[in-house]
Amino acid sequence: MAERMVKSNGIELWTESFGEPGNPPFLLVMGASAQGILWPEELIDLLVAGGHYVIRYDHRDTGQSTSFDFQKNPYTLADLAKDALGVLDAYGIAAAHLVGASLGGMICQLIGILHPERVLSLTVMMSTPLRTGVVETFAQAFQGQATTEALPPPAPRAIEVFMSAATNPPGNLQEAIDYQVKVARAMSGSVAPFDEQECRRTVERIFHRARNPAASANHGLVPSPTREQAEALKNLRVPTLVIHGTDDPMFPPAHGIAAAERIPGARLLMLEGMGHDLPRPLFGEIARAILAHTSAKA
């Protein structure tokens, strides 16, 4: 593995690569407010063993990448997509297999729409179809308001944990760590027992390696996709695999089903008991599915 700071879209992004640069490349795109290190190295090792070169990175406003004052320098989903393409540019990669989790899945969908020539394949994990109003719907749900969208809101356990921070925000670093562990527990599925000790070690690492831990909240201010972007999803012609969990509390299963239905030709893999996370017992199945999906397009 090799860490590297790159210039992308006018900012600095932390990146890390695994495997041989000459092999077919993967770019792993994490979710909202999430650092690239949340892509488990055990899962990455399986992709590398499958003959691929794998890159993960910290989004802007997370980890060791550039942080922003969002009020002075707001940005959009399209800017986050440009960041991802800038990572590929910095590594001299013309096109890659994109794997996106949660918000990362939406970013990857947008790249597939705007720059299909840069995409060998898409894998959209625990995400939702690119659409308008998604941010507003989540804001309503986390404020205890009824939502009007056809797709279901987050599950009660997700709403409860996020509302708890709104009414009683963490007051110091230890409380912030404790809260993030609570969030991770709420996001986990039923496929394996929640490992609090491992989670706490990961959360502590996240806080200690962040340039500005508070900046990650800026991802919640990124506006929803535009109507034009959402409508363009029906024209996406990139080979796509949708992976979703039956126990996902953030994007209930209907979101994964909708993504597979709205992306032309997409295949759906629904994993029993997976939540809004990447559980170790499913690393092998996830890796095999991704490698099978990408092998014919390498």
Side-chain angles (χ1 to χ4, degrees), residues 122-161:
L122 290 181
T123 300
V124 177
M125 301 180 64
M126 51 187 173
S127 190
T128 191
L130 204 66
R131 66 190 195 280
T132 60
V134 61
V135 174
E136 293 77 9
T137 297
F138 273 72
Q140 290 171 344
F142 293 142
Q143 292 169 11
Q145 302 173 11
T147 60
T148 56
E149 191 183 63
L151 290 174
R157 72 179 193 266
I159 294 173
E160 180 180 348
V161 74

Side-chain angles (χ1 to χ4, degrees), residues 28-252:
L28 308 183
V29 186
M30 240 309 147
S33 306
Q35 298 182 15
I37 64 168
L38 287 176
W39 287 105
E41 290 184 17
E42 292 176 58
L43 176 59
I44 292 172
D45 288 344
L46 293 173
L47 299 178
V48 169
H52 289 270
Y53 181 55
V54 181
I55 300 168
R56 63 181 180 179
Y57 70 100
D58 288 340
H59 291 292
R60 62 172 69 192
D61 274 331
T62 74
Q64 298 181 31
S65 295
T66 299
S67 60
F68 284 77
D69 180 332
F70 196 88
Q71 300 305 319
K72 293 181 180 178
N73 296 288
Y75 51 86
T76 66
L77 195 69
D79 291 312
L80 295 175
K82 289 177 184 176
D83 292 349
L85 292 173
V87 173
L88 295 182
D89 291 340
Y91 279 83
I93 295 172
H97 298 286
L98 302 185
V99 182
S102 197
L103 177 69
M106 297 178 70
I107 293 170
C108 290
Q109 290 173 61
L110 186 57
I111 294 173
I113 290 168
L114 299 178
H115 301 281
E117 74 284 357
R118 305 298 304 271
V119 184
L120 299 175
S121 74
L122 290 181
T123 300
V124 177
M125 301 180 64
M126 51 187 173
S127 190
T128 191
L130 204 66
R131 66 190 195 280
T132 60
V134 61
V135 174
E136 293 77 9
T137 297
F138 273 72
Q140 290 171 344
F142 293 142
Q143 292 169 11
Q145 302 173 11
T147 60
T148 56
E149 191 183 63
L151 290 174
R157 72 179 193 266
I159 294 173
E160 180 180 348
V161 74
F162 286 112
M163 288 182 67
S164 71
T167 56
N168 186 26
N172 54 48
L173 176 59
Q174 189 56 55
E175 289 181 1
I177 291 172
D178 291 343
Y179 170 69
Q180 289 302 324
V181 172
K182 286 177 58 179
V183 170
R185 182 186 293 276
M187 293 299 104
S188 67
S190 57
V191 72
F194 179 70
D195 189 333
E196 181 169 338
Q197 289 187 338
E198 181 179 12
C199 177
R200 188 171 295 275
R201 287 193 295 270
T202 299
V203 171
E204 289 174 349
R205 183 185 177 198
I206 285 169
F207 273 95
H208 291 307
R209 73 184 292 275
R211 284 191 187 185
N212 179 4
S216 65
N218 288 340
H219 284 191
L221 303 175
V222 174
S224 296
T226 66
R227 183 171 301 280
E228 181 181 26
Q229 291 166 348
E231 291 178 351
L233 190 61
K234 65 179 181 292
N235 299 319
L236 183 62
R237 293 296 182 269
V238 176
T240 301
L241 171 66
V242 176
I243 299 177
H244 214 90
T246 62
D247 200 19
D248 191 323
M250 183 63 70
F251 292 118

